[in-house]
Amino acid sequence: MSLKQQRADAVVIGGGAAGMLCSALAAERGLSVLMLEPNAVLGKKLRITGKGRCNVTNDCTAAEFIQSLPGDGRFMQSAIHRFGPGDVMALFERLGVPLKVERGRRVFPESDRAADVASALERYMRRSGAEVAHERAEEIITGPDGVCAVRTRNGEIECRSAVICTGGLSYPGTGSTGDGYRMAAELGHTVTPARPSLVPLESPDGFCRDMQGLSLKNVRLTAYEDGREIYGEQGEMLFTHFGVSGPLVLSASAHMRGFPAKKYRLSIDLKPALDAARLDERVLRDFSKNKNREFRNALSELAPKALIPVLIERSGIPPETRVNSVTREQRLALVALMKDFSIRISGTRPVAEAIVTAGGISTREVDPRTMQSRLVPGLYFAGEVLDLDAYTGGFNLQIAWSTAYVAANSLRS
């Protein structure tokens, strides 16, 4: 498409989740909409989200959604009430994507194919009349009345509204370049430094590397900041060569926002179904069955194979000790270790490895009722480019859907 003489009511910058929904809804209003997306494929990040399954939203209440945003959740009050999880689910069912609700009220397409969600959005957008140009926006041009054009390498598009839906910095291979931050900053907006969220964590503890590849299920993970509990949940996690990962760890990372000034540690309860007294009884039963064996050979029913050498070392009990010689104090120390297996955390993995980006356009400079800039008339924002992020479970995509809906229905006509 030649852009030399192009004009549109609204230019949507970015062809991801927020951009596609915003374009479709704005076009349904009767606006002429042009989306700018340099990737040949729309929804490139959306197509790989949720390990290729796409956690579309979370079947929660508006209040529960707000509680799932660790930052300024109040900014989303208006948007989530106008277009909440129920509205998102109804939309995708109407677009021919049957949904299902799984553990934690996470909502997925029945097909388990993220591509079905992205393709349905693309069809909806094109059916609504929005056009697509595979171009990169370089600058948003303003005049006395605010936004008046968007410049690309191949020309300018005259418009009355521009919506920045460029996402954050996670998954750079999908085109997340930070262009939206740059264009907003050029127009006077404050950009909170981007940092990773929902990201694996690094640890200086060598035993993590020793156990790399070990997955723990049905454990309880608690995160501490300067000794204060900031997160706790039961589920799955994984040891890696750099530290820890997995669903519990990704969720915990969203609460860890004070690196390097604050100290963080994780505590794993390896047997959350048993309190310390009952776990001690369990250990005693196992010890009685193995009373003539060495301690290092008596833990096979208590812990995974890869974890046993680490438990032995950290318990302080010499591995060659006969089980019937283990003292009560040593046994209780082992029980305490299994209820509080502590891991030091030194930082996060790079933002490129994060599921979402925390930081972005300051919400103080955006009207939450319209998603319009408080500084530049006709400039709107939607999705991850805003300084909004949430815990894992479908909440981050819900931010994209809700902000896109509000922006689309507020654009200048």
Side-chain angles (χ1 to χ4, degrees):
M1 173 186 291
S2 170
L3 297 180
K4 298 202 182 297
Q5 303 297 323
Q6 187 72 30
R7 191 193 177 287
D9 292 324
V11 174
V12 175
I13 304 170
M20 285 195 285
L21 181 59
C22 184
S23 296
L25 293 171
E28 272 193 335
R29 285 181 54 200
L31 301 181
S32 59
V33 178
L34 177 63
M35 171 193 283
L36 297 178
E37 169 54 60
N39 281 326
V41 177
L42 298 185
K44 197 169 181 181
K45 180 179 175 182
L46 185 62
R47 293 173 189 273
I48 62 172
T49 190
K51 296 181 180 177
R53 297 178 63 218
C54 190
N55 188 178
V56 177
T57 186
N58 190 285
D59 188 17
C60 64
T61 65
E64 289 168 333
F65 170 78
I66 297 298
Q67 291 169 2
S68 298
L69 278 68
D72 183 14
R74 294 171 302 174
F75 178 84
M76 288 296 297
Q77 283 279 8
S78 175
I80 196 64
H81 281 96
R82 290 177 62 186
F83 196 71
D87 302 304
V88 171
M89 294 168 71
L91 171 67
F92 281 105
E93 294 276 358
R94 190 167 70 248
L95 294 179
V97 183
L99 303 172
K100 59 183 177 179
V101 182
E102 297 187 358
R103 181 180 59 83
R105 291 183 287 182
R106 291 166 164 83
V107 180
F108 292 89
E110 282 186 0
S111 66
D112 285 328
R113 284 173 42 87
D116 291 350
V117 175
S119 296
L121 272 178
E122 183 174 356
R123 287 193 301 271
Y124 178 36
M125 186 187 75
R126 295 184 187 277
R127 188 169 66 243
S128 297
E131 293 188 67
V132 178
H134 292 288
E135 298 273 353
R136 184 179 298 281
E138 295 187 346
E139 182 186 8
I140 297 170
I141 301 170
T142 60
D145 297 324
V147 169
C148 61
V150 175
R151 183 173 60 80
T152 75
R153 182 183 303 174
N154 293 311
E156 292 182 3
I157 307 109
E158 294 180 17
C159 59
R160 299 199 66 231
S161 299
V163 194
I164 297 180
C165 304
T166 50
L169 293 176
S170 56
Y171 295 109
T174 64
S176 302
T177 61
D179 280 356
Y181 301 148
R182 175 186 56 76
M183 287 185 284
E186 288 171 352
L187 293 173
H189 273 275
T190 302
V191 181
T192 305
R195 62 190 185 279
S197 186
L198 303 185
V199 65
L201 298 170
E202 296 182 344
S203 172
D205 295 330
F207 56 76
C208 292
R209 182 179 60 254
D210 296 339
M211 294 189 291
Q212 66 175 299
L214 172 63
S215 178
L216 298 179
K217 298 183 178 181
N218 297 317
V219 297
R220 179 170 180 81
L221 186 71
T222 306
Y224 295 90
E225 178 184 84
D226 290 341
R228 179 179 61 89
E229 181 178 334
I230 55 173
Y231 168 83
E233 193 173 335
Q234 190 165 324
E236 301 179 23
M237 62 172 293
L238 174 73
F239 288 98
T240 71
H241 67 283
F242 54 76
V244 284
S245 187
L248 286 177
V249 172
L250 298 182
S251 294
S253 74
H255 299 258
M256 298 179 173
R257 294 166 174 258
F259 292 111
K262 298 187 177 181
K263 294 188 184 309
Y264 294 93
R265 78 172 180 95
L266 300 177
S267 170
I268 308 170
D269 184 344
L270 296 166
K271 301 291 182 183
L274 304 174
D275 61 21
R278 290 174 62 199
L279 179 55
D280 186 35
E281 293 173 4
R282 164 73 191 278
V283 173
L284 270 172
R285 286 198 303 272
D286 279 39
F287 277 14
S288 66
K289 288 190 295 184
N290 298 284
K291 59 185 177 183
N292 294 318
R293 305 182 75 176
E294 292 184 345
F295 175 57
R296 63 182 152 210
N297 297 321
L299 301 178
S300 59
E301 294 182 25
L302 280 170
K305 184 178 179 181
L307 180 58
I308 290 173
V310 180
L311 281 177
I312 292 171
E313 182 179 351
R314 298 190 75 185
S315 73
I317 304 171
E320 67 279 3
T321 304
R322 293 288 174 181
V323 169
N324 58 11
S325 297
V326 173
T327 67
R328 179 176 182 275
E329 289 72 21
Q330 287 175 321
R331 191 186 73 243
L332 291 179
L334 173 64
V335 169
L337 175 62
M338 296 184 71
K339 296 295 290 181
D340 180 13
F341 188 94
S342 185
I343 303 170
R344 294 177 295 164
I345 299 299
S346 54
T348 68
R349 294 296 284 170
V351 69
E353 296 181 30
I355 292 177
V356 299
T357 304
I361 310 302
S362 172
T363 53
R364 294 191 304 274
E365 298 166 355
V366 180
D367 186 339
R369 299 163 300 176
T370 61
M371 298 300 148
Q372 183 173 210
S373 165
R374 296 186 188 275
L375 310 180
V376 183
L379 177 63
Y380 300 79
F381 304 94
E384 196 180 349
V385 74
L386 287 161
D387 185 7
L388 293 169
D389 65 286
Y391 305 142
T392 185
F395 303 107
N396 285 287
L397 268 179
Q398 182 62 52
I399 291 174
W401 308 134
S402 295
T403 55
Y405 178 90
V406 172
N409 285 283
S410 305
L411 298 177
R412 301 193 296 188
S413 56

Short mmCIF file of all heavy atoms in Angstrom, two decimals, residues 346-405:
data_model
loop_
_atom_site.label_atom_id
_atom_site.label_comp_id
_atom_site.label_asym_id
_atom_site.label_seq_id
_atom_site.Cartn_x
_atom_site.Cartn_y
_atom_site.Cartn_z
N SER A 346 19.35 -13.23 43.51
CA SER A 346 20.24 -12.10 43.24
C SER A 346 19.69 -11.14 42.19
O SER A 346 20.15 -10.00 42.07
CB SER A 346 21.61 -12.61 42.79
OG SER A 346 21.48 -13.50 41.69
N GLY A 347 18.70 -11.59 41.40
CA GLY A 347 18.15 -10.73 40.37
C GLY A 347 17.26 -11.52 39.42
O GLY A 347 17.00 -12.71 39.63
N THR A 348 16.81 -10.84 38.38
CA THR A 348 15.96 -11.48 37.38
C THR A 348 16.78 -11.78 36.13
O THR A 348 17.86 -11.23 35.92
CB THR A 348 14.79 -10.57 36.98
OG1 THR A 348 15.31 -9.43 36.26
CG2 THR A 348 14.01 -10.09 38.19
N ARG A 349 16.24 -12.62 35.27
CA ARG A 349 16.81 -12.79 33.94
C ARG A 349 16.51 -11.53 33.12
O ARG A 349 15.70 -10.69 33.52
CB ARG A 349 16.21 -14.03 33.26
CG ARG A 349 16.58 -15.33 33.95
CD ARG A 349 18.06 -15.60 33.90
NE ARG A 349 18.48 -16.07 32.58
CZ ARG A 349 19.74 -16.20 32.19
NH1 ARG A 349 20.72 -15.86 33.02
NH2 ARG A 349 20.04 -16.66 31.00
N PRO A 350 17.16 -11.36 31.96
CA PRO A 350 16.97 -10.14 31.17
C PRO A 350 15.52 -9.95 30.72
O PRO A 350 14.75 -10.91 30.64
CB PRO A 350 17.89 -10.36 29.96
CG PRO A 350 18.88 -11.38 30.41
CD PRO A 350 18.16 -12.27 31.37
N VAL A 351 15.17 -8.71 30.42
CA VAL A 351 13.81 -8.40 30.01
C VAL A 351 13.40 -9.16 28.75
O VAL A 351 12.22 -9.46 28.54
CB VAL A 351 13.63 -6.86 29.80
CG1 VAL A 351 14.42 -6.38 28.59
CG2 VAL A 351 12.17 -6.48 29.69
N ALA A 352 14.37 -9.51 27.91
CA ALA A 352 14.06 -10.28 26.70
C ALA A 352 13.49 -11.65 27.02
O ALA A 352 12.81 -12.26 26.19
CB ALA A 352 15.32 -10.44 25.83
N GLU A 353 13.74 -12.16 28.23
CA GLU A 353 13.22 -13.47 28.63
C GLU A 353 11.94 -13.36 29.44
O GLU A 353 11.38 -14.37 29.86
CB GLU A 353 14.28 -14.22 29.45
CG GLU A 353 15.54 -14.55 28.66
CD GLU A 353 16.55 -15.32 29.47
OE1 GLU A 353 16.16 -16.07 30.38
OE2 GLU A 353 17.76 -15.17 29.19
N ALA A 354 11.46 -12.14 29.67
CA ALA A 354 10.25 -11.95 30.47
C ALA A 354 9.00 -12.17 29.63
O ALA A 354 9.00 -11.96 28.42
CB ALA A 354 10.24 -10.53 31.04
N ILE A 355 7.93 -12.59 30.31
CA ILE A 355 6.65 -12.73 29.63
C ILE A 355 6.04 -11.36 29.38
O ILE A 355 5.45 -11.10 28.33
CB ILE A 355 5.70 -13.61 30.46
CG1 ILE A 355 6.22 -15.06 30.49
CG2 ILE A 355 4.29 -13.59 29.89
CD1 ILE A 355 5.40 -16.00 31.34
N VAL A 356 6.19 -10.45 30.34
CA VAL A 356 5.68 -9.09 30.16
C VAL A 356 6.73 -8.09 30.63
O VAL A 356 7.65 -8.43 31.36
CB VAL A 356 4.36 -8.84 30.93
CG1 VAL A 356 3.26 -9.75 30.44
CG2 VAL A 356 4.56 -8.99 32.42
N THR A 357 6.53 -6.84 30.22
CA THR A 357 7.40 -5.75 30.63
C THR A 357 6.67 -4.90 31.66
O THR A 357 5.55 -4.46 31.42
CB THR A 357 7.77 -4.86 29.43
OG1 THR A 357 8.36 -5.68 28.41
CG2 THR A 357 8.74 -3.79 29.84
N ALA A 358 7.30 -4.70 32.81
CA ALA A 358 6.81 -3.71 33.76
C ALA A 358 7.46 -2.38 33.41
O ALA A 358 8.55 -2.34 32.84
CB ALA A 358 7.16 -4.13 35.18
N GLY A 359 6.81 -1.29 33.80
CA GLY A 359 7.29 0.02 33.39
C GLY A 359 6.60 0.44 32.10
O GLY A 359 5.79 -0.29 31.54
N GLY A 360 6.90 1.63 31.63
CA GLY A 360 6.29 2.12 30.40
C GLY A 360 5.70 3.50 30.58
O GLY A 360 6.11 4.26 31.47
N ILE A 361 4.72 3.85 29.76
CA ILE A 361 4.12 5.18 29.78
C ILE A 361 3.44 5.41 31.13
O ILE A 361 2.60 4.62 31.56
CB ILE A 361 3.07 5.34 28.66
CG1 ILE A 361 3.64 4.90 27.29
CG2 ILE A 361 2.56 6.76 28.61
CD1 ILE A 361 4.87 5.64 26.86
N SER A 362 3.81 6.47 31.79
CA SER A 362 3.25 6.77 33.11
C SER A 362 1.74 6.93 33.03
O SER A 362 1.22 7.73 32.24
CB SER A 362 3.87 8.05 33.68
OG SER A 362 3.20 8.44 34.86
N THR A 363 1.02 6.18 33.86
CA THR A 363 -0.45 6.25 33.85
C THR A 363 -0.95 7.58 34.41
O THR A 363 -2.10 7.95 34.18
CB THR A 363 -1.05 5.08 34.65
OG1 THR A 363 -0.47 5.06 35.96
CG2 THR A 363 -0.78 3.75 33.96
N ARG A 364 -0.09 8.32 35.12
CA ARG A 364 -0.51 9.63 35.62
C ARG A 364 -0.77 10.61 34.48
O ARG A 364 -1.48 11.60 34.67
CB ARG A 364 0.56 10.21 36.54
CG ARG A 364 0.77 9.44 37.83
CD ARG A 364 1.65 10.23 38.81
NE ARG A 364 2.93 10.58 38.22
CZ ARG A 364 4.01 9.80 38.23
NH1 ARG A 364 3.94 8.60 38.77
NH2 ARG A 364 5.14 10.21 37.69
N GLU A 365 -0.20 10.32 33.30
CA GLU A 365 -0.34 11.23 32.16
C GLU A 365 -1.35 10.72 31.14
O GLU A 365 -1.38 11.18 29.99
CB GLU A 365 1.03 11.42 31.51
CG GLU A 365 2.03 12.07 32.47
CD GLU A 365 3.48 11.98 32.00
OE1 GLU A 365 3.73 11.35 30.96
OE2 GLU A 365 4.34 12.55 32.69
N VAL A 366 -2.18 9.74 31.55
CA VAL A 366 -3.19 9.15 30.67
C VAL A 366 -4.53 9.16 31.40
O VAL A 366 -4.61 8.82 32.58
CB VAL A 366 -2.81 7.70 30.29
CG1 VAL A 366 -3.87 7.09 29.37
CG2 VAL A 366 -1.44 7.66 29.63
N ASP A 367 -5.60 9.57 30.70
CA ASP A 367 -6.94 9.59 31.28
C ASP A 367 -7.49 8.16 31.31
O ASP A 367 -7.70 7.58 30.23
CB ASP A 367 -7.84 10.49 30.45
CG ASP A 367 -9.22 10.69 31.07
OD1 ASP A 367 -9.64 9.85 31.89
OD2 ASP A 367 -9.90 11.67 30.69
N PRO A 368 -7.74 7.57 32.46
CA PRO A 368 -8.20 6.18 32.52
C PRO A 368 -9.59 5.96 31.94
O PRO A 368 -9.96 4.83 31.60
CB PRO A 368 -8.19 5.86 34.02
CG PRO A 368 -8.32 7.18 34.70
CD PRO A 368 -7.61 8.15 33.82
N ARG A 369 -10.36 7.04 31.77
CA ARG A 369 -11.72 6.90 31.21
C ARG A 369 -11.71 6.85 29.68
O ARG A 369 -12.69 6.43 29.06
CB ARG A 369 -12.60 8.07 31.67
CG ARG A 369 -12.79 8.14 33.19
CD ARG A 369 -13.30 9.49 33.61
NE ARG A 369 -12.35 10.56 33.22
CZ ARG A 369 -12.57 11.84 33.40
NH1 ARG A 369 -13.71 12.25 33.95
NH2 ARG A 369 -11.68 12.74 33.02
N THR A 370 -10.58 7.28 29.07
CA THR A 370 -10.52 7.33 27.60
C THR A 370 -9.24 6.74 27.02
O THR A 370 -9.16 6.47 25.83
CB THR A 370 -10.59 8.79 27.12
OG1 THR A 370 -9.46 9.50 27.66
CG2 THR A 370 -11.89 9.46 27.57
N MET A 371 -8.22 6.55 27.84
CA MET A 371 -6.87 6.15 27.43
C MET A 371 -6.20 7.21 26.57
O MET A 371 -5.21 6.96 25.89
CB MET A 371 -6.86 4.80 26.68
CG MET A 371 -7.34 3.65 27.52
SD MET A 371 -6.35 3.40 29.01
CE MET A 371 -7.58 2.78 30.15
N GLN A 372 -6.73 8.45 26.60
CA GLN A 372 -6.13 9.55 25.86
C GLN A 372 -5.06 10.23 26.73
O GLN A 372 -5.20 10.35 27.94
CB GLN A 372 -7.17 10.58 25.44
CG GLN A 372 -6.60 11.72 24.61
CD GLN A 372 -7.66 12.66 24.05
OE1 GLN A 372 -7.48 13.25 22.99
NE2 GLN A 372 -8.77 12.81 24.75
N SER A 373 -4.01 10.66 26.06
CA SER A 373 -2.96 11.42 26.72
C SER A 373 -3.53 12.67 27.36
O SER A 373 -4.38 13.35 26.78
CB SER A 373 -1.89 11.80 25.69
OG SER A 373 -1.04 12.80 26.19
N ARG A 374 -3.05 12.97 28.57
CA ARG A 374 -3.41 14.23 29.21
C ARG A 374 -2.57 15.39 28.67
O ARG A 374 -2.83 16.55 28.97
CB ARG A 374 -3.22 14.13 30.72
CG ARG A 374 -4.13 13.11 31.42
CD ARG A 374 -3.96 13.21 32.93
NE ARG A 374 -4.64 12.17 33.66
CZ ARG A 374 -5.93 12.20 34.02
NH1 ARG A 374 -6.68 13.24 33.67
NH2 ARG A 374 -6.46 11.22 34.72
N LEU A 375 -1.55 15.05 27.87
CA LEU A 375 -0.62 16.06 27.36
C LEU A 375 -0.88 16.40 25.90
O LEU A 375 -0.66 17.55 25.48
CB LEU A 375 0.83 15.57 27.50
CG LEU A 375 1.26 15.02 28.87
CD1 LEU A 375 2.72 14.59 28.82
CD2 LEU A 375 1.04 16.08 29.95
N VAL A 376 -1.29 15.40 25.10
CA VAL A 376 -1.43 15.57 23.66
C VAL A 376 -2.82 15.12 23.22
O VAL A 376 -3.10 13.91 23.20
CB VAL A 376 -0.36 14.77 22.89
CG1 VAL A 376 -0.47 15.01 21.39
CG2 VAL A 376 1.04 15.12 23.39
N PRO A 377 -3.71 16.02 22.84
CA PRO A 377 -5.02 15.61 22.35
C PRO A 377 -4.88 14.70 21.12
O PRO A 377 -4.05 14.94 20.25
CB PRO A 377 -5.70 16.94 21.98
CG PRO A 377 -5.00 17.96 22.81
CD PRO A 377 -3.58 17.49 22.92
N GLY A 378 -5.69 13.66 21.10
CA GLY A 378 -5.68 12.75 19.95
C GLY A 378 -4.67 11.63 20.05
O GLY A 378 -4.59 10.78 19.16
N LEU A 379 -3.87 11.60 21.13
CA LEU A 379 -2.90 10.53 21.33
C LEU A 379 -3.44 9.57 22.39
O LEU A 379 -3.80 10.00 23.50
CB LEU A 379 -1.56 11.10 21.78
CG LEU A 379 -0.45 10.07 22.11
CD1 LEU A 379 -0.07 9.27 20.86
CD2 LEU A 379 0.77 10.77 22.70
N TYR A 380 -3.49 8.28 22.06
CA TYR A 380 -4.06 7.27 22.94
C TYR A 380 -3.07 6.13 23.14
O TYR A 380 -2.16 5.94 22.32
CB TYR A 380 -5.37 6.71 22.36
CG TYR A 380 -6.45 7.75 22.15
CD1 TYR A 380 -6.40 8.60 21.03
CD2 TYR A 380 -7.50 7.90 23.03
CE1 TYR A 380 -7.38 9.56 20.83
CE2 TYR A 380 -8.50 8.85 22.83
CZ TYR A 380 -8.43 9.68 21.73
OH TYR A 380 -9.39 10.63 21.52
N PHE A 381 -3.28 5.37 24.19
CA PHE A 381 -2.42 4.23 24.49
C PHE A 381 -3.26 3.01 24.84
O PHE A 381 -4.34 3.14 25.44
CB PHE A 381 -1.50 4.54 25.68
CG PHE A 381 -0.65 5.76 25.51
CD1 PHE A 381 -1.07 7.00 25.98
CD2 PHE A 381 0.58 5.68 24.85
CE1 PHE A 381 -0.30 8.13 25.83
CE2 PHE A 381 1.37 6.81 24.68
CZ PHE A 381 0.93 8.03 25.17
N ALA A 382 -2.74 1.82 24.52
CA ALA A 382 -3.42 0.58 24.92
C ALA A 382 -2.39 -0.54 25.03
O ALA A 382 -1.43 -0.60 24.26
CB ALA A 382 -4.51 0.20 23.91
N GLY A 383 -2.60 -1.39 26.01
CA GLY A 383 -1.77 -2.59 26.15
C GLY A 383 -0.52 -2.39 26.97
O GLY A 383 -0.42 -1.49 27.83
N GLU A 384 0.47 -3.22 26.68
CA GLU A 384 1.67 -3.33 27.50
C GLU A 384 2.57 -2.10 27.46
O GLU A 384 3.45 -1.95 28.31
CB GLU A 384 2.47 -4.57 27.06
CG GLU A 384 3.52 -5.03 28.04
CD GLU A 384 4.27 -6.26 27.55
OE1 GLU A 384 3.83 -6.89 26.56
OE2 GLU A 384 5.30 -6.59 28.16
N VAL A 385 2.36 -1.21 26.51
CA VAL A 385 3.19 0.01 26.45
C VAL A 385 2.94 0.90 27.67
O VAL A 385 3.81 1.69 28.05
CB VAL A 385 2.90 0.78 25.13
CG1 VAL A 385 1.55 1.48 25.17
CG2 VAL A 385 4.02 1.77 24.83
N LEU A 386 1.78 0.74 28.30
CA LEU A 386 1.47 1.49 29.53
C LEU A 386 2.23 0.90 30.71
O LEU A 386 2.57 -0.29 30.71
CB LEU A 386 -0.03 1.44 29.80
CG LEU A 386 -0.92 2.28 28.87
CD1 LEU A 386 -2.35 1.79 28.93
CD2 LEU A 386 -0.84 3.76 29.26
N ASP A 387 2.45 1.70 31.73
CA ASP A 387 3.11 1.22 32.94
C ASP A 387 2.09 0.45 33.78
O ASP A 387 1.67 0.87 34.86
CB ASP A 387 3.69 2.40 33.74
CG ASP A 387 4.50 1.94 34.95
OD1 ASP A 387 4.71 0.72 35.08
OD2 ASP A 387 4.89 2.79 35.76
N LEU A 388 1.68 -0.69 33.23
CA LEU A 388 0.73 -1.59 33.88
C LEU A 388 1.21 -3.01 33.65
O LEU A 388 1.60 -3.37 32.54
CB LEU A 388 -0.68 -1.46 33.26
CG LEU A 388 -1.43 -0.14 33.46
CD1 LEU A 388 -2.65 -0.12 32.55
CD2 LEU A 388 -1.86 0.01 34.92
N ASP A 389 1.18 -3.82 34.68
CA ASP A 389 1.45 -5.24 34.50
C ASP A 389 0.74 -5.98 35.62
O ASP A 389 0.35 -5.38 36.63
CB ASP A 389 2.95 -5.55 34.50
CG ASP A 389 3.60 -5.24 35.83
OD1 ASP A 389 3.80 -4.05 36.15
OD2 ASP A 389 3.93 -6.20 36.56
N ALA A 390 0.54 -7.26 35.43
CA ALA A 390 -0.24 -8.05 36.39
C ALA A 390 0.44 -9.40 36.61
O ALA A 390 1.42 -9.74 35.95
CB ALA A 390 -1.66 -8.25 35.87
N TYR A 391 -0.14 -10.13 37.53
CA TYR A 391 0.38 -11.47 37.80
C TYR A 391 0.00 -12.41 36.65
O TYR A 391 -0.84 -12.08 35.81
CB TYR A 391 -0.17 -12.00 39.12
CG TYR A 391 0.08 -11.08 40.29
CD1 TYR A 391 -0.86 -10.90 41.30
CD2 TYR A 391 1.27 -10.36 40.38
CE1 TYR A 391 -0.63 -10.04 42.36
CE2 TYR A 391 1.51 -9.50 41.43
CZ TYR A 391 0.55 -9.34 42.42
OH TYR A 391 0.79 -8.49 43.46
N THR A 392 0.61 -13.57 36.64
CA THR A 392 0.30 -14.55 35.61
C THR A 392 -1.10 -15.12 35.82
O THR A 392 -1.61 -15.14 36.94
CB THR A 392 1.34 -15.69 35.62
OG1 THR A 392 1.10 -16.57 34.53
CG2 THR A 392 1.29 -16.47 36.91
N GLY A 393 -1.74 -15.55 34.74
CA GLY A 393 -3.07 -16.13 34.86
C GLY A 393 -4.09 -15.53 33.91
O GLY A 393 -5.29 -15.74 34.07
N GLY A 394 -3.65 -14.77 32.90
CA GLY A 394 -4.56 -14.17 31.94
C GLY A 394 -4.84 -12.70 32.20
O GLY A 394 -5.51 -12.03 31.41
N PHE A 395 -4.30 -12.16 33.31
CA PHE A 395 -4.58 -10.79 33.68
C PHE A 395 -3.91 -9.77 32.76
O PHE A 395 -4.44 -8.68 32.52
CB PHE A 395 -4.16 -10.53 35.13
CG PHE A 395 -4.81 -11.46 36.12
CD1 PHE A 395 -4.09 -12.48 36.73
CD2 PHE A 395 -6.16 -11.34 36.42
CE1 PHE A 395 -4.69 -13.34 37.63
CE2 PHE A 395 -6.77 -12.20 37.32
CZ PHE A 395 -6.03 -13.20 37.93
N ASN A 396 -2.71 -10.09 32.25
CA ASN A 396 -2.02 -9.15 31.39
C ASN A 396 -2.72 -8.98 30.04
O ASN A 396 -2.80 -7.86 29.52
CB ASN A 396 -0.55 -9.57 31.21
CG ASN A 396 0.27 -9.28 32.45
OD1 ASN A 396 0.59 -8.14 32.74
ND2 ASN A 396 0.60 -10.33 33.20
N LEU A 397 -3.23 -10.06 29.49
CA LEU A 397 -3.99 -9.91 28.25
C LEU A 397 -5.30 -9.16 28.53
O LEU A 397 -5.77 -8.41 27.67
CB LEU A 397 -4.29 -11.27 27.62
CG LEU A 397 -3.26 -11.75 26.59
CD1 LEU A 397 -3.63 -13.11 26.03
CD2 LEU A 397 -3.12 -10.75 25.44
N GLN A 398 -5.88 -9.35 29.71
CA GLN A 398 -7.09 -8.60 30.02
C GLN A 398 -6.80 -7.10 30.04
O GLN A 398 -7.64 -6.30 29.62
CB GLN A 398 -7.66 -9.05 31.37
CG GLN A 398 -8.96 -8.35 31.75
CD GLN A 398 -10.09 -8.62 30.77
OE1 GLN A 398 -10.38 -9.78 30.46
NE2 GLN A 398 -10.72 -7.56 30.26
N ILE A 399 -5.63 -6.71 30.52
CA ILE A 399 -5.24 -5.29 30.45
C ILE A 399 -5.27 -4.82 29.00
O ILE A 399 -5.79 -3.73 28.69
CB ILE A 399 -3.83 -5.07 31.06
CG1 ILE A 399 -3.85 -5.29 32.56
CG2 ILE A 399 -3.32 -3.66 30.73
CD1 ILE A 399 -2.46 -5.24 33.21
N ALA A 400 -4.72 -5.63 28.11
CA ALA A 400 -4.68 -5.26 26.68
C ALA A 400 -6.09 -5.11 26.13
O ALA A 400 -6.41 -4.12 25.45
CB ALA A 400 -3.91 -6.31 25.89
N TRP A 401 -6.96 -6.09 26.42
CA TRP A 401 -8.33 -6.03 25.86
C TRP A 401 -9.09 -4.82 26.41
O TRP A 401 -9.75 -4.10 25.65
CB TRP A 401 -9.10 -7.29 26.21
CG TRP A 401 -8.48 -8.62 25.90
CD1 TRP A 401 -8.42 -9.70 26.74
CD2 TRP A 401 -7.84 -9.04 24.68
NE1 TRP A 401 -7.78 -10.76 26.13
CE2 TRP A 401 -7.42 -10.38 24.87
CE3 TRP A 401 -7.58 -8.42 23.47
CZ2 TRP A 401 -6.75 -11.11 23.88
CZ3 TRP A 401 -6.90 -9.14 22.48
CH2 TRP A 401 -6.51 -10.46 22.69
N SER A 402 -9.03 -4.60 27.71
CA SER A 402 -9.81 -3.52 28.33
C SER A 402 -9.34 -2.14 27.88
O SER A 402 -10.15 -1.26 27.56
CB SER A 402 -9.74 -3.62 29.85
OG SER A 402 -10.36 -4.80 30.32
N THR A 403 -8.01 -1.94 27.85
CA THR A 403 -7.51 -0.62 27.43
C THR A 403 -7.77 -0.38 25.95
O THR A 403 -8.06 0.75 25.54
CB THR A 403 -6.01 -0.48 27.75
OG1 THR A 403 -5.28 -1.57 27.15
CG2 THR A 403 -5.76 -0.48 29.26
N ALA A 404 -7.69 -1.43 25.14
CA ALA A 404 -7.97 -1.29 23.71
C ALA A 404 -9.44 -0.92 23.49
O ALA A 404 -9.76 -0.08 22.64
CB ALA A 404 -7.64 -2.59 22.98
N TYR A 405 -10.32 -1.55 24.26
CA TYR A 405 -11.76 -1.26 24.14
C TYR A 405 -12.04 0.21 24.46
O TYR A 405 -12.74 0.91 23.72
CB TYR A 405 -12.55 -2.16 25.08
CG TYR A 405 -14.04 -1.91 25.07
CD1 TYR A 405 -14.87 -2.59 24.18
CD2 TYR A 405 -14.61 -0.99 25.94
CE1 TYR A 405 -16.24 -2.34 24.16
CE2 TYR A 405 -15.97 -0.74 25.93
CZ TYR A 405 -16.79 -1.42 25.04
OH TYR A 405 -18.14 -1.17 25.01
#
